[in-house]
Amino acid sequence: MATKPPTGDPVQDAPQVEAAPHAAAGLPAVAHSLRIARQQMGVRRTAQTLLKVNQKDGFDCPGCAWPEGDKRHTAEFCENGAKAVAEEATLRRVTPGFFAAHPVAGLAERSGYWLGQQGRITQPVYLPEGADRYEAITWDRAFAIIAEELTALGSPDEALFYTSGRTSNEAAFLLQLFAREFGTNNLPDCSNMCHESSGSALTETIGIGKGSVSLEDLHQADLIIVAGQNPGTNHPRMLSALEKAKQSGAKIISVNPLPEAGMERFKNPQTPQGMIKGTPLNDLFLQIRIGGDQALFRLLNKLILATEGAVDTAFVAEHTHGYEQFAKAAEAADWDETLRATGLTRAEIEQALALVLASERTIVCWAMGLTQHKHSVPTIREVVNFLLLRGNIGRPGAGVCPVRGHSNVQGDRTMGIFERPAPAFLDALDKEFGITSPRHHGMDVVRSIQALRDGEAKVFFAMGGNFVAATPDTTVTEAAMRRARLTVHVSTKLNRSHAVTGARALILPTLGRTDKDVQASGKQFVTVEDSMGMVHASRGNLTPASPHLLSEPAIVARLARAVLGAGSRTPWETFERDYATIRDRISRVVPGFQDFNTRVAAHPGG
């Protein structure tokens, strides 16, 4: 039955190894998606929920940040998305009785899979100091405990406010506002662990830390280079965009240490032809050595410079600076050194160059295969230079495409979740709310772990996510978390972080993307930003898993009232009642969000 979690607990670190497939998606993906959905939700709820995923009048899939076009398929989701939705819309429930039967030490011995499969958490729970298991608690008491710990700190900088990518724009804006009114810029987020290097390199080179392309640009490109990214595994809906590009005549180069089945052949489950035959996506697969991407793009830049007529000299003269210095460095690239660094052959690189020179519109897509290296920032700078040389930024069918993994990780950063905020943003925030934000830089993820380890930070508050499982050096991270005075997790379901606690711990259950959100002023919606900078509304359609759940904006608003008290002039209660009032303030603080409510109402789907 859908309400029954699995009885077994498979070991996550003992995978089954089988022969590598050479195609992805197709009928097996459909069958697996429906099987998981039925196990979690039952037949009727599966149809009710999946037909609303990524629709203009529905909710944004929590699975990834890939954008949707204006015309959407009835089934606008992938296998990953269907499973993510099913686990959130599940009929399984984690009640206070569950916590009474499972001490925290026992939960710590379970796998992340088992924890996540237990279902939605139905009430706030509290682990008192010295206790061995969580117990049910009221919301008022939960906020009082957090306020007690925060107000007892020697400095606001002893608190850490972490945000995961699934947090809405409205909740993220409120969280950063609360943290800064409280007095700290300690706002680590999951961007610190994925595309931080993209943001740094792109801000240095093109002036904005985001991608420059839209979904339509991919469809118009002559050449798409997918480097350090596994679309079929992590962003399956991207395969449909690549397929459409191929049908329009685009060539695709995949740069990856391992071949991926989805790039070899994509069996689109939305068409009969796709289900049966599929489309080969790769025109060239470059099986590069790990970390060799910078050397590859540096040599390609040298070869472009050496090819008569290959550089868009007018574009370079008008839109770039530092060309002579860059050209001198690129010309020093050595063939033998590059072949050793990349593991590629000369013929493969020359084949890639031929595709590059034949293309008038080139896009480079990348993910964490490029970003998670010590030399990731210079690698991405090299990619940008590669595109600038031939004028491939700022025109249709060309540009940079960092593909984000979490659903709203980019939106959270746009809303001010950043430990190193721009002075102009803080000035606007202070003017709007009459506060004085701290100007010194806060702590990112790594610095936060060090601060917990060294006793410099005492309260850890997480808006979603699974911090101890997502961060580097698990042993150090878990030991650091256990040194905190209080750990708080705003969550929909259980994960490893709930079993690795400070002296005291709280789990605050929240509404998910699939849930209806009704506040005092009526039904609400939230907004999210996709990987290509498009912002759109998200509206859940399911009755919440429990009457005891609060939305993320409501949790932040009530927390702020408990901690800041009557001394705060920020209208926290109004924000909780009506999210449109949050968007009004966002429109006056965040650049590019003028008339936010009007624009999102006119274009709810993005």
Side-chain angles (χ1 to χ4, degrees), residues 197-263:
S197 51
S198 296
S200 296
L202 292 175
T203 300
E204 288 179 30
T205 52
I206 63 173
I208 183 170
K210 304 181 183 183
S212 67
V213 300
S214 67
L215 191 59
E216 290 69 28
D217 286 316
L218 280 168
H219 301 157
Q220 298 171 29
D222 298 321
L223 174 65
I224 301 170
I225 300 176
V226 181
Q229 183 199 358
N230 299 321
T233 305
N234 297 318
H235 314 94
R237 287 193 301 127
M238 182 178 173
L239 297 178
S240 298
L242 295 177
E243 180 186 49
K244 188 170 183 178
K246 287 284 290 186
Q247 292 168 348
S248 298
K251 301 293 185 182
I252 297 175
I253 300 175
S254 179
V255 185
N256 202 316
L258 292 174
E260 189 188 49
M263 296 299 291

Side-chain angles (χ1 to χ4, degrees), residues 376-414:
S376 56
V377 171
T379 297
I380 296 165
R381 283 200 299 255
E382 201 69 43
V383 169
V384 175
N385 289 334
F386 165 80
L387 291 167
L388 290 172
L389 272 179
R390 291 178 54 78
N392 279 312
I393 290 183
R395 56 191 177 88
V400 294
C401 183
V403 182
R404 314 281 173 166
H406 291 175
S407 173
N408 196 41
V409 61
Q410 187 161 293
D412 289 351
R413 185 57 63 86
T414 302

